[in-house]
Amino acid sequence: MAGKKVLIVYAHQEPKSFNGSLKDVAVEELRKQGCSVTVSDLYAMQFEPRATRNDIVGHVHNPEQFNYIVETREAYKRGGLSSDVVEEQKKVQEADLLIFQFPLYWFSMPAIMKGWMDRVLVQGFAYGFPEFYDSGLLKNKLALFSFTTGSPRETYTKGNTNGDIRYLLWPLQHGTMHFCGVKVLAPHMCFAPESVSEGQRKEMLTAWAQRLKTLWKEEPINCSSEWYFK
Ligand SMILES: Cc1cc2nc3c(=O)[nH]c(=O)nc-3n(C[C@H](O)[C@H](O)[C@H](O)COP(=O)(O)OP(=O)(O)OC[C@H]3O[C@@H](n4cnc5c(N)ncnc54)[C@H](O)[C@@H]3O)c2cc1C
């Protein structure tokens, strides 16, 4: 939809990867719609995933006993977070929609993306108490997790080896985005792109482009335990 702002947080080392192609499809389709699209290409940026003291510039609240949550909250209030975190927070603040594009690593997101969550979604910026879940500080935004797997779709069903794919999405969608108030759109999953034919991969890319055409009409999922563990 023209005028909407989208931030794609993208984690893959290789531009020619399938994830790279999914990211490119999204950039192209959303720009075609007149959206303003920003990409945080985490590996290309060499994004620092570790939550450390270096995230605080200048004054440390309690140098005797460093507490990351407290220090980042206080630093956020006085404008004392490191510039790379501030930069990402600005992108989040401006975005209507956050798309996370990544390959599934150990039933989760790659460490570099987890580090983005750890460092960017600071208390006071993304959530507070009592500003969490439906009252989270990012409550007027949407998020969509778009990812690829190594294992085929049938292994990610209830009672099968990997279990229902929705189990894995609980910490990602619910524990981070919903916790911060963000409404979550249905995930977009491409199963086992390495193991299918070239033609099937092209179909997956076309299906992603097709979905994006009507994305703004979608209703968020009911991000509660029933959706994940029914
Ligand atoms: C540390 C680690 C942990 C992992 N944990 C899990 C796990 O828990 N569960 C699980 O299921 N998997 C797991 N995996 C596997 C991983 O999820 C897959 O390898 C990954 O999702 C595949 O996506 P990709 O973008 O890297 O594929 P790629 O290998 O980059 O792409 C697949 C194929 O698509 C081709 N391609 C790229 N662009 C196009 C295009 N435009 N048109 C047609 N073809 C194209 C590529 O050339 C390649 O041949 C893990 C992998 C690692 C490294």
Side-chain angles (χ1 to χ4, degrees):
M1 205 197 287
K4 291 281 191 190
K5 292 189 174 147
V6 183
L7 171 62
I8 302 179
V9 183
Y10 160 69
H12 203 291
Q13 308 86 347
E14 172 55 60
K16 293 188 199 122
S17 66
F18 196 69
N19 272 271
S21 293
L22 288 162
K23 181 262 293 170
D24 291 344
V25 162
V27 171
E28 192 186 327
E29 173 54 36
L30 292 165
R31 288 202 176 134
K32 219 190 282 171
Q33 293 174 19
C35 300
S36 144
V37 184
T38 303
V39 179
S40 284
D41 183 343
L42 300 181
Y43 287 105
M45 291 156 68
Q46 300 193 11
F47 186 78
E48 168 60 86
R50 294 169 300 179
T52 69
R53 282 176 189 246
N54 294 339
D55 294 348
I56 317 299
V57 179
H59 172 75
V60 174
H61 190 67
N62 181 0
E64 302 303 318
Q65 191 169 347
F66 186 82
N67 177 318
Y68 190 79
I69 276 199
V70 172
E71 291 298 340
T72 50
R73 182 187 67 209
E74 295 306 313
Y76 174 72
K77 275 195 226 160
R78 61 175 173 77
L81 285 171
S82 61
S83 57
D84 61 336
V85 172
V86 172
E87 200 56 33
E88 294 307 299
Q89 288 179 337
K90 272 192 209 146
K91 296 179 196 171
V92 171
Q93 201 60 272
E94 284 173 9
D96 299 296
L97 167 66
L98 311 171
I99 296 179
F100 295 94
Q101 181 65 60
F102 58 97
L104 195 68
Y105 276 11
W106 297 120
F107 277 21
S108 188
M109 59 187 101
I112 201 165
M113 186 175 277
K114 175 60 164 51
W116 186 95
M117 302 277 180
D118 293 347
R119 296 181 64 230
V120 175
L121 303 176
V122 163
Q123 192 182 125
F125 166 71
Y127 71 94
F129 297 101
E131 300 91 359
F132 60 99
Y133 284 123
D134 291 343
S135 311
L137 297 173
L138 304 179
K139 63 175 171 283
N140 295 318
K141 302 181 189 300
L142 292 168
L144 191 164
F145 286 77
S146 172
F147 61 95
T148 59
T149 69
S151 303
R153 181 187 294 271
E154 59 275 16
T155 66
Y156 282 105
T157 51
K158 198 173 180 179
N160 219 315
T161 44
N162 291 326
D164 194 317
I165 194 86
R166 290 187 179 195
Y167 303 159
L168 326 185
L169 292 168
W170 174 253
L172 282 66
Q173 294 185 163
H174 183 75
T176 57
M177 287 299 111
H178 187 192
F179 188 81
C180 298
V182 180
K183 293 187 180 59
V184 178
L185 296 175
H188 198 86
M189 297 167 288
C190 292
F191 290 94
E194 294 147 301
S195 311
V196 300
S197 68
E198 178 78 2
Q200 284 169 309
R201 284 197 288 268
K202 296 279 182 225
E203 281 170 22
M204 287 178 182
L205 294 166
T206 306
W208 179 221
Q210 278 302 119
R211 178 172 175 198
L212 290 166
K213 284 185 199 305
T214 53
L215 194 76
W216 301 104
K217 292 185 185 153
E218 289 186 17
E219 286 297 322
I221 63 163
N222 174 19
C223 196
S224 64
S225 58
E226 295 77 56
W227 189 88
Y228 297 89
F229 305 111
K230 65 176 162 30

